[in-house]
Amino acid sequence: MPHPVVVVGAGLAGLATACRLAGAGYEVTVVERGHQPGGRTGRIERDGFSFDTGATVMTMVDLLEDTVAAAGSRLDDLLTLQRLDPAYLAQFADGSRIRVRNGAEAMRAEVAAVSGAREAERFDDFVEWLRELYEIEMAHFIDRNFDSPLDLLSRPVPAARLLALGGFGRLGPAVRRFFDDDRLRRLFSFQAMYAGLPPSSALALYAVITYMDSIAGVYAPAGGMHAVPTALAEAAARAGVTFRYGLEVDQIQGRGGKVAAVRLVDGEVLRADAVVLTPDLPVAYRAFFPELTPPRGVRRGVYSPSAVVWHVGVRGEAPAGRAHHNIHFGSQWDEAFDALIKRHELMPDPSRLVTVPSATDPSLAPEGCSTLYVLEPVPNNRSGIDWDEEAGPMRERLLGFLDAEGYPTDVVCEELYTPRTWEHLGMEQGTPFALAHTFAQTGPFRPPNVERRRPGVFFAGSGTVPGVGVPMVLVSGKLAAERVADWLDGDR
């Protein structure tokens, strides 16, 4: 009989774990409190509009292909993807624009046209640096389980090369060494925000996010981003995974010091030789292991800033010249990050992301209308901001911003997500970006994906290794599945 495994949560991490475990022959059940797959990559349907409530940027499709293949399916049979060109449209405070083009050659031409031949030459060097960083990090430090920081010593050559490339320096200064044009510096370093840090203090090794966004390509799934978890759930189901929706886990039960079962809130008990938990780690420890002292990173971790996301369905179409993803940079940079991250205040001159998924897939809005996703970085709930009071003024500022930038503003329906919303949805400190990627919360220093005091308990998701973002969460599912396989088939 195959070992039974229960995965708690049908978000991307849980689905990736389930695909890999089912493909390896385990008997997998996924328990999800919602009524559909997706988790943070959720969906709202309202008045003919479809809103993706989580991530909007899809990169590193090869990781998604690999996950589906592990379950015995082909991604092309489950999901249609369109590579975006431009991947982003960046607009700066002086009114100038830079398109992040599809492919290094096209992007080089864009840099030459906007910033000159010298900056284009430097872009060539920048791309080579990004590629080498990515290849070293992915193979040796991201797609790998660590049992302790000492494991880093087992790969001295890649570690030395990463050091030589400046990976342990700071991202902002590293990018400045390549470019004189301040617009390019911002364009190729703002991704540090995904890691929860300002570019000036984020480790340069997080330039791998820049590689994913700016070099490897950005894709739009037909049907919106929610089509990604839907495809993963279908691949898992075809491989034999059982899904139990609309149910919550009450308790992880043990026998003889090992995991034995999962009890649901309605009293049903599911046999399990291993359990993979995908909620935020502090939430998981409070819910299932209140008797344990969580790892230090869980107890005292530094959390990323949060974001306000305004989902708005409007009459009218996006103005000509706008892209699927549009980044509107404010005039301030270091000052804005200082306010957000150091002082836990709203950015005085915020940079914002406006995604218009209906521009690529008209099925996401009624005819003649648009679906907009407007994101502004804000402090997490450490700030003490009262979002009951601040939500209204924030909404009006975002509406004024859209109007000033020429977007349609005849609102049909809307939903405003604030840090209070994220916390209500189970995200620690009201941030969907989990623990910040400080040095002390990176790689083997990040909270581990195994709870050795409760043999058979494992974790996946953005709060554990390797970290935040759709690609990293897919990898987290792979790493968790490897932990489970090692436990069940060998090291028990």
Side-chain angles (χ1 to χ4, degrees), residues 28 35 63 122 138 160 194 232 244 269 304 326 333 358 363 376 383 395 399 425 433 475 492:
V28 182
H35 295 280
L63 296 176
R122 292 172 171 175
M138 181 56 77
Y194 300 148
L232 287 172
R244 304 292 302 277
V269 175
S304 299
N326 304 273
W333 192 242
S358 56
S363 71
E376 179 177 324
S383 68
R395 187 259 187 200
L399 181 66
L425 292 172
F433 305 115
V475 174
R492 296 193 68 178

Side-chain angles (χ1 to χ4, degrees), residues 318 322-324 356-362 364 369-371:
R322 295 297 182 195
H324 187 104
V356 192
S358 56
T360 303
D361 186 347
L364 300 174
C369 297
S370 297
T371 298

Side-chain angles (χ1 to χ4, degrees), residues 348-395:
D349 180 29
S351 297
R352 298 179 172 110
L353 170 69
V354 180
T355 293
V356 192
S358 56
T360 303
D361 186 347
S363 71
L364 300 174
E367 185 176 356
C369 297
S370 297
T371 298
L372 305 180
Y373 170 107
V374 188
L375 181 149
E376 179 177 324
V378 298
N380 62 37
N381 280 340
R382 277 194 59 194
S383 68
I385 294 173
D386 185 343
W387 284 103
D388 287 339
E389 293 186 1
E390 185 58 40
M394 172 64 76
R395 187 259 187 200

Side-chain angles (χ1 to χ4, degrees), residues 8-354:
V8 180
L12 295 179
L15 293 169
T17 307
C19 281
R20 292 184 179 279
L21 289 174
Y26 298 100
E27 180 187 305
V28 182
T29 301
V30 176
V31 179
E32 165 59 44
R33 66 179 180 178
H35 295 280
Q36 60 183 349
R40 298 185 189 186
T41 313
R43 172 60 62 93
I44 296 174
E45 304 278 356
R46 187 173 300 164
D47 298 327
F49 295 89
S50 297
F51 302 105
D52 288 314
T53 61
T56 63
V57 180
M58 183 71 225
T59 64
M60 305 309 296
V61 171
D62 60 317
L63 296 176
L64 188 58
E65 290 173 337
D66 188 59
T67 303
V68 169
S73 291
R74 293 177 66 254
L75 185 62
D76 289 346
D77 296 334
L78 300 168
L79 185 66
T80 300
L81 292 166
Q82 176 182 339
R83 186 162 178 168
L84 298 175
D85 189 8
Y88 294 96
L89 174 69
Q91 179 168 311
F92 299 88
D94 63 2
S96 63
R97 296 181 178 184
I98 300 176
R99 298 171 299 166
V100 177
R101 296 297 309 281
N102 181 358
E105 286 302 315
M107 189 62 209
R108 187 189 195 281
E110 179 77 2
V111 171
V114 175
S115 304
R118 177 59 180 146
E119 295 290 75
E121 292 175 4
R122 292 172 171 175
F123 176 74
D124 292 337
D125 295 334
F126 180 63
V127 170
E128 289 306 309
W129 180 70
L130 288 178
R131 281 180 174 149
E132 188 165 3
L133 271 179
Y134 175 79
E135 289 169 1
I136 291 173
E137 289 184 52
M138 181 56 77
H140 300 285
F141 302 105
I142 294 175
D143 191 9
R144 183 185 176 204
N145 277 311
F146 292 90
D147 290 317
S148 88
L150 294 177
D151 287 353
L152 291 170
L153 301 178
S154 67
R155 303 202 176 184
V157 174
R161 185 57 190 152
L162 191 58
L163 182 63
L165 287 168
F168 296 106
R170 301 300 170 185
L171 178 61
V175 174
R176 284 199 298 272
R177 286 196 294 270
F178 287 97
F179 301 109
D180 290 329
D181 189 331
D182 193 57
R183 296 172 300 176
L184 296 177
R185 292 172 172 178
R186 294 188 181 194
L187 184 62
F188 294 129
S189 66
F190 83 89
Q191 294 86 355
M193 278 295 302
Y194 300 148
L197 298 167
S200 60
S201 61
L203 293 174
L205 55 85
Y206 286 110
V208 297
I209 307 175
T210 305
Y211 173 84
M212 294 174 185
D213 276 9
S214 302
I215 307 302
V218 174
Y219 295 79
M225 280 295 290
H226 186 65
V228 175
T230 300
L232 287 172
E234 176 61 24
R238 291 181 182 182
V241 174
T242 298
F243 285 89
R244 304 292 302 277
Y245 292 112
L247 296 171
E248 291 196 49
V249 173
D250 177 60
Q251 187 181 65
I252 311 298
Q253 298 180 334
R255 182 174 59 250
K258 300 175 183 177
V259 163
V262 169
R263 189 178 72 190
L264 306 181
V265 291
D266 64 1
E268 182 183 1
V269 175
L270 305 177
R271 191 168 68 88
D273 290 341
V275 175
V276 180
L277 301 172
T278 67
D280 257 6
L281 265 64
V283 175
Y285 272 95
R286 286 195 295 268
F288 304 122
F289 310 113
E291 74 283 4
L292 295 181
T293 300
R296 187 180 187 281
V298 177
R299 289 181 285 118
R300 301 180 182 178
V302 176
Y303 278 79
S304 299
S306 186
V308 164
V309 175
W310 191 27
H311 303 284
V312 54
V314 295
R315 295 183 182 90
E317 298 179 356
R322 295 297 182 195
H324 187 104
H325 297 297
N326 304 273
I327 306 170
H328 296 262
F329 287 103
S331 59
Q332 293 186 8
W333 192 242
D334 291 335
E335 304 94 328
F337 283 116
D338 285 346
L340 176 68
I341 296 174
K342 293 182 180 180
R343 300 197 302 274
H344 306 289
E345 300 171 355
L346 295 175
M347 285 180 160
D349 180 29
S351 297
R352 298 179 172 110
L353 170 69
V354 180

